[in-house]
């Protein structure tokens, strides 16, 4: 297991860190949202940026420089836009950390630190990509400012090793029902708030659109009543990931409306599956929890639709 605390201590001993930026593409961007969210909610003196890699390259934030840590991620270590984002950050004097699954890649050649993650079935939660990113966030804030939630974050990181496997087993009946009820839908809206929003967004673009070819759009529950709710009919397909933190009130307001006007709604509620055990920091782990639960849902949905998750029309087949 990579020692993130040691790495951050080494970085902060050499330079004054004022900014932490996260850049990636697709799921490798979504996995950074909880880390970005943590810094923006907890840090008093550290700014944070969150951008898709190509936007970071073409419209780099002005606060990125020698007092920055820039975190990038690419499973194969060769996503062109992400590698270029790392190069841009390096030219500006930032310390660049790269997260990758594969070794000896293009990304390794341009970063200051490489963390190899593992997400195989049965591996500990805390060696996953998003877990390492979250460690970078809370270790940085703690090293520079100190934070009253630090111990709870460390304890919760370990606790997730127990919560996720148990929840993935317990949630199977709900996932089976979802696969049956949604297999014929032509469009599915995903919803969420807090860090659960990132899991909903990832579900829309990386699973429903990319891997299942189902039209989809993500809706933040805080924005639902400012336009999107007008598409609601009794049979409109919704999938809502309920926050376990402060933004739960936004989700509950949306649920009150949907329970009155809609009859095709699935809610995944982390509080039913152990997330209450994390206390006040649970909201920072919602992305990871829901991403893990959706892995169960998505394999069953793919089987029910006879549409494998690795099926593609364009990706990796053409130059784009």
């Amino acid at each position: 297991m990579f020692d993130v605390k040691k790495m951050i201590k080494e970085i902060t001993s050499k330079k004054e860190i004022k900014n932490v930026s996260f850049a990636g593409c697709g799921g490798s961007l979504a996995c950074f949202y909880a880390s970005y969210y943590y810094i923006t909610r907890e840090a008093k003196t550290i700014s944070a940026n969150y951008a898709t890699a190509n936007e970071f390259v073409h419209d780099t934030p002005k606060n990125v420089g020698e007092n920055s840590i820039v975190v990038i991620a690419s499973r194969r270590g060769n996503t062109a836009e992400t590698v270029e984002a790392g190069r841009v950050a390096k030219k500006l004097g930032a310390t660049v950390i790269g997260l990758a699954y594969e070794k000896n890649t293009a990304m390794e050649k341009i970063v200051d630190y490489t963390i190899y993650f593992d997400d195989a079935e049965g591996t500990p939660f805390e060696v996953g990509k998003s877990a390492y990113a979250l460690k970078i966030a809370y270790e940085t804030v703690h090293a520079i400012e100190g934070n009253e939630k630090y111990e709870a974050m460390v304890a919760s990181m370990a606790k997730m090793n127990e919560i996720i496997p148990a929840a993935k087993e317990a949630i199977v009946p709900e996932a089976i029902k979802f696969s049956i009820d949604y297999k014929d839908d032509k469009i599915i809206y995903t919803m969420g708030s807090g860090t659960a929003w990132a899991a909903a967004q990832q579900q829309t673009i990386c699973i429903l659109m990319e891997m299942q070819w189902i039209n989809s759009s993500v809706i933040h529950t805080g924005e639902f009543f400012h336009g999107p709710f007008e598409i609601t009919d009794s049979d409109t397909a919704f999938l809502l990931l309920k926050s376990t933190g402060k933004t739960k009130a936004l989700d509950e307001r949306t649920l009150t409306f949907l329970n009155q006007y809609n009859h095709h709604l699935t809610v995944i509620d982390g509080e039913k599956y152990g997330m209450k055990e994390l206390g006040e920091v649970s909201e920072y782990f919602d992305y990871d929890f829901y991403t893990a639960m959706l892995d169960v849902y998505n394999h069953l949905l793919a089987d029910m639709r006879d549409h494998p998750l690795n099926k593609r029309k364009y990706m990796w087949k053409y130059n784009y």
Side-chain angles (χ1 to χ4, degrees), residues 128-160:
K129 179 169 55 176
S130 56
Y132 274 129
L134 194 51
K135 287 181 184 180
I136 291 170
Y138 69 67
E139 290 292 354
T140 301
V141 173
H142 181 64
I144 296 171
E145 301 180 357
N147 183 267
E148 61 184 11
K149 295 178 182 174
Y150 175 75
E151 297 298 335
M153 290 295 291
V154 174
S156 294
M157 182 67 66
K159 191 68 177 177
M160 289 289 279

PDB file of all heavy atoms in Angstrom, residues 128-160:
ATOM      1  N   GLY A 128      -7.821   1.495  -3.772  1.00  0.00           N
ATOM      2  CA  GLY A 128      -8.473   1.887  -5.014  1.00  0.00           C
ATOM      3  C   GLY A 128      -8.109   3.295  -5.423  1.00  0.00           C
ATOM      4  O   GLY A 128      -7.583   4.091  -4.641  1.00  0.00           O
ATOM      5  N   LYS A 129      -8.427   3.621  -6.657  1.00  0.00           N
ATOM      6  CA  LYS A 129      -8.075   4.930  -7.227  1.00  0.00           C
ATOM      7  C   LYS A 129      -8.691   6.090  -6.451  1.00  0.00           C
ATOM      8  O   LYS A 129      -7.998   7.029  -6.048  1.00  0.00           O
ATOM      9  CB  LYS A 129      -8.513   4.959  -8.695  1.00  0.00           C
ATOM     10  CG  LYS A 129      -8.247   6.256  -9.412  1.00  0.00           C
ATOM     11  CD  LYS A 129      -8.451   6.115 -10.926  1.00  0.00           C
ATOM     12  CE  LYS A 129      -9.815   5.576 -11.272  1.00  0.00           C
ATOM     13  NZ  LYS A 129     -10.024   5.543 -12.743  1.00  0.00           N
ATOM     14  N   SER A 130     -10.009   6.047  -6.252  1.00  0.00           N
ATOM     15  CA  SER A 130     -10.676   7.159  -5.564  1.00  0.00           C
ATOM     16  C   SER A 130     -10.277   7.237  -4.101  1.00  0.00           C
ATOM     17  O   SER A 130     -10.229   8.331  -3.519  1.00  0.00           O
ATOM     18  CB  SER A 130     -12.192   7.022  -5.694  1.00  0.00           C
ATOM     19  OG  SER A 130     -12.625   5.773  -5.205  1.00  0.00           O
ATOM     20  N   ALA A 131      -9.979   6.088  -3.488  1.00  0.00           N
ATOM     21  CA  ALA A 131      -9.542   6.091  -2.090  1.00  0.00           C
ATOM     22  C   ALA A 131      -8.196   6.802  -1.949  1.00  0.00           C
ATOM     23  O   ALA A 131      -8.000   7.610  -1.038  1.00  0.00           O
ATOM     24  CB  ALA A 131      -9.444   4.665  -1.566  1.00  0.00           C
ATOM     25  N   TYR A 132      -7.278   6.516  -2.845  1.00  0.00           N
ATOM     26  CA  TYR A 132      -5.983   7.200  -2.811  1.00  0.00           C
ATOM     27  C   TYR A 132      -6.162   8.709  -3.024  1.00  0.00           C
ATOM     28  O   TYR A 132      -5.497   9.525  -2.375  1.00  0.00           O
ATOM     29  CB  TYR A 132      -5.049   6.638  -3.875  1.00  0.00           C
ATOM     30  CG  TYR A 132      -4.276   5.413  -3.433  1.00  0.00           C
ATOM     31  CD1 TYR A 132      -4.261   4.253  -4.208  1.00  0.00           C
ATOM     32  CD2 TYR A 132      -3.532   5.419  -2.258  1.00  0.00           C
ATOM     33  CE1 TYR A 132      -3.551   3.125  -3.812  1.00  0.00           C
ATOM     34  CE2 TYR A 132      -2.802   4.306  -1.851  1.00  0.00           C
ATOM     35  CZ  TYR A 132      -2.817   3.159  -2.633  1.00  0.00           C
ATOM     36  OH  TYR A 132      -2.101   2.046  -2.235  1.00  0.00           O
ATOM     37  N   ALA A 133      -7.063   9.083  -3.920  1.00  0.00           N
ATOM     38  CA  ALA A 133      -7.301  10.510  -4.170  1.00  0.00           C
ATOM     39  C   ALA A 133      -7.845  11.190  -2.919  1.00  0.00           C
ATOM     40  O   ALA A 133      -7.443  12.305  -2.576  1.00  0.00           O
ATOM     41  CB  ALA A 133      -8.269  10.679  -5.333  1.00  0.00           C
ATOM     42  N   LEU A 134      -8.765  10.522  -2.230  1.00  0.00           N
ATOM     43  CA  LEU A 134      -9.335  11.085  -1.012  1.00  0.00           C
ATOM     44  C   LEU A 134      -8.274  11.198   0.080  1.00  0.00           C
ATOM     45  O   LEU A 134      -8.248  12.174   0.845  1.00  0.00           O
ATOM     46  CB  LEU A 134     -10.504  10.223  -0.539  1.00  0.00           C
ATOM     47  CG  LEU A 134     -11.438  10.818   0.515  1.00  0.00           C
ATOM     48  CD1 LEU A 134     -11.938  12.197   0.117  1.00  0.00           C
ATOM     49  CD2 LEU A 134     -12.602   9.878   0.779  1.00  0.00           C
ATOM     50  N   LYS A 135      -7.374  10.224   0.133  1.00  0.00           N
ATOM     51  CA  LYS A 135      -6.268  10.304   1.093  1.00  0.00           C
ATOM     52  C   LYS A 135      -5.401  11.528   0.805  1.00  0.00           C
ATOM     53  O   LYS A 135      -4.968  12.229   1.724  1.00  0.00           O
ATOM     54  CB  LYS A 135      -5.404   9.042   1.033  1.00  0.00           C
ATOM     55  CG  LYS A 135      -6.020   7.801   1.640  1.00  0.00           C
ATOM     56  CD  LYS A 135      -5.058   6.627   1.529  1.00  0.00           C
ATOM     57  CE  LYS A 135      -5.649   5.334   2.039  1.00  0.00           C
ATOM     58  NZ  LYS A 135      -4.704   4.196   1.919  1.00  0.00           N
ATOM     59  N   ILE A 136      -5.122  11.784  -0.466  1.00  0.00           N
ATOM     60  CA  ILE A 136      -4.329  12.955  -0.837  1.00  0.00           C
ATOM     61  C   ILE A 136      -5.003  14.225  -0.325  1.00  0.00           C
ATOM     62  O   ILE A 136      -4.353  15.125   0.210  1.00  0.00           O
ATOM     63  CB  ILE A 136      -4.140  13.021  -2.372  1.00  0.00           C
ATOM     64  CG1 ILE A 136      -3.218  11.887  -2.838  1.00  0.00           C
ATOM     65  CG2 ILE A 136      -3.571  14.380  -2.789  1.00  0.00           C
ATOM     66  CD1 ILE A 136      -3.167  11.723  -4.348  1.00  0.00           C
ATOM     67  N   ALA A 137      -6.320  14.277  -0.464  1.00  0.00           N
ATOM     68  CA  ALA A 137      -7.063  15.467  -0.029  1.00  0.00           C
ATOM     69  C   ALA A 137      -6.988  15.669   1.473  1.00  0.00           C
ATOM     70  O   ALA A 137      -6.607  16.746   1.955  1.00  0.00           O
ATOM     71  CB  ALA A 137      -8.524  15.347  -0.485  1.00  0.00           C
ATOM     72  N   TYR A 138      -7.344  14.640   2.242  1.00  0.00           N
ATOM     73  CA  TYR A 138      -7.391  14.877   3.692  1.00  0.00           C
ATOM     74  C   TYR A 138      -6.011  14.923   4.326  1.00  0.00           C
ATOM     75  O   TYR A 138      -5.809  15.614   5.335  1.00  0.00           O
ATOM     76  CB  TYR A 138      -8.350  13.914   4.402  1.00  0.00           C
ATOM     77  CG  TYR A 138      -8.011  12.451   4.501  1.00  0.00           C
ATOM     78  CD1 TYR A 138      -6.936  11.984   5.252  1.00  0.00           C
ATOM     79  CD2 TYR A 138      -8.849  11.501   3.912  1.00  0.00           C
ATOM     80  CE1 TYR A 138      -6.673  10.630   5.391  1.00  0.00           C
ATOM     81  CE2 TYR A 138      -8.605  10.141   4.047  1.00  0.00           C
ATOM     82  CZ  TYR A 138      -7.513   9.707   4.784  1.00  0.00           C
ATOM     83  OH  TYR A 138      -7.256   8.352   4.921  1.00  0.00           O
ATOM     84  N   GLU A 139      -5.035  14.258   3.752  1.00  0.00           N
ATOM     85  CA  GLU A 139      -3.670  14.343   4.287  1.00  0.00           C
ATOM     86  C   GLU A 139      -3.078  15.723   4.009  1.00  0.00           C
ATOM     87  O   GLU A 139      -2.347  16.267   4.846  1.00  0.00           O
ATOM     88  CB  GLU A 139      -2.787  13.254   3.697  1.00  0.00           C
ATOM     89  CG  GLU A 139      -3.093  11.836   4.158  1.00  0.00           C
ATOM     90  CD  GLU A 139      -2.777  11.586   5.631  1.00  0.00           C
ATOM     91  OE1 GLU A 139      -2.212  12.492   6.293  1.00  0.00           O
ATOM     92  OE2 GLU A 139      -3.094  10.496   6.127  1.00  0.00           O
ATOM     93  N   THR A 140      -3.407  16.301   2.848  1.00  0.00           N
ATOM     94  CA  THR A 140      -2.895  17.632   2.518  1.00  0.00           C
ATOM     95  C   THR A 140      -3.490  18.690   3.439  1.00  0.00           C
ATOM     96  O   THR A 140      -2.773  19.538   3.990  1.00  0.00           O
ATOM     97  CB  THR A 140      -3.203  17.986   1.050  1.00  0.00           C
ATOM     98  OG1 THR A 140      -2.594  17.016   0.189  1.00  0.00           O
ATOM     99  CG2 THR A 140      -2.671  19.368   0.697  1.00  0.00           C
ATOM    100  N   VAL A 141      -4.799  18.650   3.609  1.00  0.00           N
ATOM    101  CA  VAL A 141      -5.453  19.617   4.491  1.00  0.00           C
ATOM    102  C   VAL A 141      -4.925  19.481   5.918  1.00  0.00           C
ATOM    103  O   VAL A 141      -4.633  20.483   6.590  1.00  0.00           O
ATOM    104  CB  VAL A 141      -6.985  19.434   4.469  1.00  0.00           C
ATOM    105  CG1 VAL A 141      -7.658  20.334   5.517  1.00  0.00           C
ATOM    106  CG2 VAL A 141      -7.538  19.744   3.086  1.00  0.00           C
ATOM    107  N   HIS A 142      -4.769  18.250   6.381  1.00  0.00           N
ATOM    108  CA  HIS A 142      -4.290  18.021   7.739  1.00  0.00           C
ATOM    109  C   HIS A 142      -2.854  18.498   7.918  1.00  0.00           C
ATOM    110  O   HIS A 142      -2.520  19.119   8.942  1.00  0.00           O
ATOM    111  CB  HIS A 142      -4.377  16.533   8.077  1.00  0.00           C
ATOM    112  CG  HIS A 142      -3.934  16.197   9.468  1.00  0.00           C
ATOM    113  ND1 HIS A 142      -4.592  16.649  10.590  1.00  0.00           N
ATOM    114  CD2 HIS A 142      -2.876  15.458   9.921  1.00  0.00           C
ATOM    115  CE1 HIS A 142      -3.972  16.205  11.669  1.00  0.00           C
ATOM    116  NE2 HIS A 142      -2.932  15.494  11.294  1.00  0.00           N
ATOM    117  N   ALA A 143      -2.006  18.239   6.910  1.00  0.00           N
ATOM    118  CA  ALA A 143      -0.597  18.628   7.014  1.00  0.00           C
ATOM    119  C   ALA A 143      -0.423  20.145   7.045  1.00  0.00           C
ATOM    120  O   ALA A 143       0.466  20.665   7.733  1.00  0.00           O
ATOM    121  CB  ALA A 143       0.185  18.045   5.833  1.00  0.00           C
ATOM    122  N   ILE A 144      -1.263  20.860   6.338  1.00  0.00           N
ATOM    123  CA  ILE A 144      -1.113  22.313   6.224  1.00  0.00           C
ATOM    124  C   ILE A 144      -1.884  23.070   7.299  1.00  0.00           C
ATOM    125  O   ILE A 144      -1.377  24.038   7.882  1.00  0.00           O
ATOM    126  CB  ILE A 144      -1.561  22.783   4.825  1.00  0.00           C
ATOM    127  CG1 ILE A 144      -0.636  22.174   3.764  1.00  0.00           C
ATOM    128  CG2 ILE A 144      -1.563  24.305   4.726  1.00  0.00           C
ATOM    129  CD1 ILE A 144      -1.106  22.382   2.342  1.00  0.00           C
ATOM    130  N   GLU A 145      -3.109  22.641   7.562  1.00  0.00           N
ATOM    131  CA  GLU A 145      -3.975  23.397   8.468  1.00  0.00           C
ATOM    132  C   GLU A 145      -4.353  22.653   9.737  1.00  0.00           C
ATOM    133  O   GLU A 145      -4.742  23.266  10.724  1.00  0.00           O
ATOM    134  CB  GLU A 145      -5.295  23.750   7.760  1.00  0.00           C
ATOM    135  CG  GLU A 145      -5.152  24.567   6.507  1.00  0.00           C
ATOM    136  CD  GLU A 145      -6.513  24.852   5.883  1.00  0.00           C
ATOM    137  OE1 GLU A 145      -7.534  24.358   6.417  1.00  0.00           O
ATOM    138  OE2 GLU A 145      -6.555  25.580   4.890  1.00  0.00           O
ATOM    139  N   GLY A 146      -4.288  21.313   9.665  1.00  0.00           N
ATOM    140  CA  GLY A 146      -4.911  20.518  10.708  1.00  0.00           C
ATOM    141  C   GLY A 146      -6.404  20.487  10.425  1.00  0.00           C
ATOM    142  O   GLY A 146      -6.949  21.410   9.805  1.00  0.00           O
ATOM    143  N   ASN A 147      -7.092  19.448  10.858  1.00  0.00           N
ATOM    144  CA  ASN A 147      -8.529  19.366  10.611  1.00  0.00           C
ATOM    145  C   ASN A 147      -9.161  18.461  11.651  1.00  0.00           C
ATOM    146  O   ASN A 147      -8.678  17.352  11.910  1.00  0.00           O
ATOM    147  CB  ASN A 147      -8.794  18.830   9.199  1.00  0.00           C
ATOM    148  CG  ASN A 147     -10.268  18.781   8.864  1.00  0.00           C
ATOM    149  OD1 ASN A 147     -10.917  17.769   9.057  1.00  0.00           O
ATOM    150  ND2 ASN A 147     -10.807  19.889   8.368  1.00  0.00           N
ATOM    151  N   GLU A 148     -10.257  18.927  12.238  1.00  0.00           N
ATOM    152  CA  GLU A 148     -10.901  18.183  13.320  1.00  0.00           C
ATOM    153  C   GLU A 148     -11.525  16.863  12.861  1.00  0.00           C
ATOM    154  O   GLU A 148     -11.815  15.996  13.691  1.00  0.00           O
ATOM    155  CB  GLU A 148     -11.975  19.053  13.960  1.00  0.00           C
ATOM    156  CG  GLU A 148     -13.085  19.466  13.014  1.00  0.00           C
ATOM    157  CD  GLU A 148     -14.074  20.416  13.655  1.00  0.00           C
ATOM    158  OE1 GLU A 148     -13.791  20.912  14.765  1.00  0.00           O
ATOM    159  OE2 GLU A 148     -15.130  20.668  13.040  1.00  0.00           O
ATOM    160  N   LYS A 149     -11.696  16.713  11.570  1.00  0.00           N
ATOM    161  CA  LYS A 149     -12.306  15.493  11.051  1.00  0.00           C
ATOM    162  C   LYS A 149     -11.277  14.477  10.553  1.00  0.00           C
ATOM    163  O   LYS A 149     -11.632  13.424  10.042  1.00  0.00           O
ATOM    164  CB  LYS A 149     -13.284  15.830   9.920  1.00  0.00           C
ATOM    165  CG  LYS A 149     -14.472  16.649  10.392  1.00  0.00           C
ATOM    166  CD  LYS A 149     -15.403  17.000   9.242  1.00  0.00           C
ATOM    167  CE  LYS A 149     -16.547  17.865   9.736  1.00  0.00           C
ATOM    168  NZ  LYS A 149     -17.404  18.348   8.631  1.00  0.00           N
ATOM    169  N   TYR A 150     -10.011  14.808  10.730  1.00  0.00           N
ATOM    170  CA  TYR A 150      -8.947  13.952  10.187  1.00  0.00           C
ATOM    171  C   TYR A 150      -9.020  12.525  10.732  1.00  0.00           C
ATOM    172  O   TYR A 150      -8.991  11.556   9.956  1.00  0.00           O
ATOM    173  CB  TYR A 150      -7.580  14.567  10.487  1.00  0.00           C
ATOM    174  CG  TYR A 150      -6.422  13.679  10.066  1.00  0.00           C
ATOM    175  CD1 TYR A 150      -6.077  13.541   8.731  1.00  0.00           C
ATOM    176  CD2 TYR A 150      -5.671  12.980  11.023  1.00  0.00           C
ATOM    177  CE1 TYR A 150      -5.026  12.726   8.343  1.00  0.00           C
ATOM    178  CE2 TYR A 150      -4.623  12.170  10.646  1.00  0.00           C
ATOM    179  CZ  TYR A 150      -4.300  12.047   9.301  1.00  0.00           C
ATOM    180  OH  TYR A 150      -3.256  11.224   8.925  1.00  0.00           O
ATOM    181  N   GLU A 151      -9.102  12.374  12.019  1.00  0.00           N
ATOM    182  CA  GLU A 151      -9.127  11.030  12.603  1.00  0.00           C
ATOM    183  C   GLU A 151     -10.342  10.245  12.128  1.00  0.00           C
ATOM    184  O   GLU A 151     -10.265   9.033  11.877  1.00  0.00           O
ATOM    185  CB  GLU A 151      -9.111  11.107  14.133  1.00  0.00           C
ATOM    186  CG  GLU A 151      -7.849  11.738  14.716  1.00  0.00           C
ATOM    187  CD  GLU A 151      -6.585  10.965  14.383  1.00  0.00           C
ATOM    188  OE1 GLU A 151      -6.683   9.742  14.128  1.00  0.00           O
ATOM    189  OE2 GLU A 151      -5.505  11.581  14.380  1.00  0.00           O
ATOM    190  N   ALA A 152     -11.471  10.919  11.997  1.00  0.00           N
ATOM    191  CA  ALA A 152     -12.682  10.258  11.511  1.00  0.00           C
ATOM    192  C   ALA A 152     -12.511   9.816  10.058  1.00  0.00           C
ATOM    193  O   ALA A 152     -13.012   8.751   9.665  1.00  0.00           O
ATOM    194  CB  ALA A 152     -13.875  11.192  11.643  1.00  0.00           C
ATOM    195  N   MET A 153     -11.823  10.613   9.267  1.00  0.00           N
ATOM    196  CA  MET A 153     -11.577  10.245   7.868  1.00  0.00           C
ATOM    197  C   MET A 153     -10.686   9.004   7.775  1.00  0.00           C
ATOM    198  O   MET A 153     -10.950   8.090   6.993  1.00  0.00           O
ATOM    199  CB  MET A 153     -10.927  11.413   7.119  1.00  0.00           C
ATOM    200  CG  MET A 153     -11.852  12.601   6.895  1.00  0.00           C
ATOM    201  SD  MET A 153     -13.258  12.240   5.818  1.00  0.00           S
ATOM    202  CE  MET A 153     -12.427  12.035   4.227  1.00  0.00           C
ATOM    203  N   VAL A 154      -9.638   8.973   8.580  1.00  0.00           N
ATOM    204  CA  VAL A 154      -8.730   7.817   8.587  1.00  0.00           C
ATOM    205  C   VAL A 154      -9.473   6.556   9.032  1.00  0.00           C
ATOM    206  O   VAL A 154      -9.347   5.488   8.416  1.00  0.00           O
ATOM    207  CB  VAL A 154      -7.524   8.086   9.515  1.00  0.00           C
ATOM    208  CG1 VAL A 154      -6.663   6.830   9.640  1.00  0.00           C
ATOM    209  CG2 VAL A 154      -6.681   9.243   8.972  1.00  0.00           C
ATOM    210  N   ALA A 155     -10.267   6.682  10.082  1.00  0.00           N
ATOM    211  CA  ALA A 155     -11.022   5.534  10.585  1.00  0.00           C
ATOM    212  C   ALA A 155     -12.057   5.066   9.567  1.00  0.00           C
ATOM    213  O   ALA A 155     -12.267   3.857   9.375  1.00  0.00           O
ATOM    214  CB  ALA A 155     -11.705   5.895  11.901  1.00  0.00           C
ATOM    215  N   SER A 156     -12.705   6.005   8.896  1.00  0.00           N
ATOM    216  CA  SER A 156     -13.731   5.654   7.911  1.00  0.00           C
ATOM    217  C   SER A 156     -13.121   4.984   6.688  1.00  0.00           C
ATOM    218  O   SER A 156     -13.738   4.087   6.091  1.00  0.00           O
ATOM    219  CB  SER A 156     -14.498   6.915   7.493  1.00  0.00           C
ATOM    220  OG  SER A 156     -15.233   7.429   8.582  1.00  0.00           O
ATOM    221  N   MET A 157     -11.925   5.406   6.319  1.00  0.00           N
ATOM    222  CA  MET A 157     -11.230   4.771   5.202  1.00  0.00           C
ATOM    223  C   MET A 157     -11.071   3.278   5.472  1.00  0.00           C
ATOM    224  O   MET A 157     -11.302   2.435   4.599  1.00  0.00           O
ATOM    225  CB  MET A 157      -9.866   5.437   4.998  1.00  0.00           C
ATOM    226  CG  MET A 157      -9.058   4.905   3.832  1.00  0.00           C
ATOM    227  SD  MET A 157      -9.733   5.249   2.193  1.00  0.00           S
ATOM    228  CE  MET A 157      -9.587   7.033   2.091  1.00  0.00           C
ATOM    229  N   ALA A 158     -10.691   2.938   6.687  1.00  0.00           N
ATOM    230  CA  ALA A 158     -10.541   1.527   7.064  1.00  0.00           C
ATOM    231  C   ALA A 158     -11.899   0.838   7.167  1.00  0.00           C
ATOM    232  O   ALA A 158     -12.055  -0.322   6.765  1.00  0.00           O
ATOM    233  CB  ALA A 158      -9.797   1.422   8.384  1.00  0.00           C
ATOM    234  N   LYS A 159     -12.890   1.553   7.689  1.00  0.00           N
ATOM    235  CA  LYS A 159     -14.226   0.971   7.872  1.00  0.00           C
ATOM    236  C   LYS A 159     -14.869   0.610   6.544  1.00  0.00           C
ATOM    237  O   LYS A 159     -15.660  -0.349   6.466  1.00  0.00           O
ATOM    238  CB  LYS A 159     -15.104   1.967   8.638  1.00  0.00           C
ATOM    239  CG  LYS A 159     -16.434   1.391   9.122  1.00  0.00           C
ATOM    240  CD  LYS A 159     -16.227   0.338  10.204  1.00  0.00           C
ATOM    241  CE  LYS A 159     -17.530  -0.184  10.738  1.00  0.00           C
ATOM    242  NZ  LYS A 159     -17.344  -1.270  11.739  1.00  0.00           N
ATOM    243  N   MET A 160     -14.570   1.348   5.511  1.00  0.00           N
ATOM    244  CA  MET A 160     -15.143   1.060   4.191  1.00  0.00           C
ATOM    245  C   MET A 160     -14.733  -0.316   3.672  1.00  0.00           C
ATOM    246  O   MET A 160     -15.426  -0.910   2.840  1.00  0.00           O
ATOM    247  CB  MET A 160     -14.744   2.142   3.195  1.00  0.00           C
ATOM    248  CG  MET A 160     -15.426   3.476   3.422  1.00  0.00           C
ATOM    249  SD  MET A 160     -17.189   3.465   3.007  1.00  0.00           S
ATOM    250  CE  MET A 160     -17.097   3.670   1.228  1.00  0.00           C
TER     251      MET A 160
END
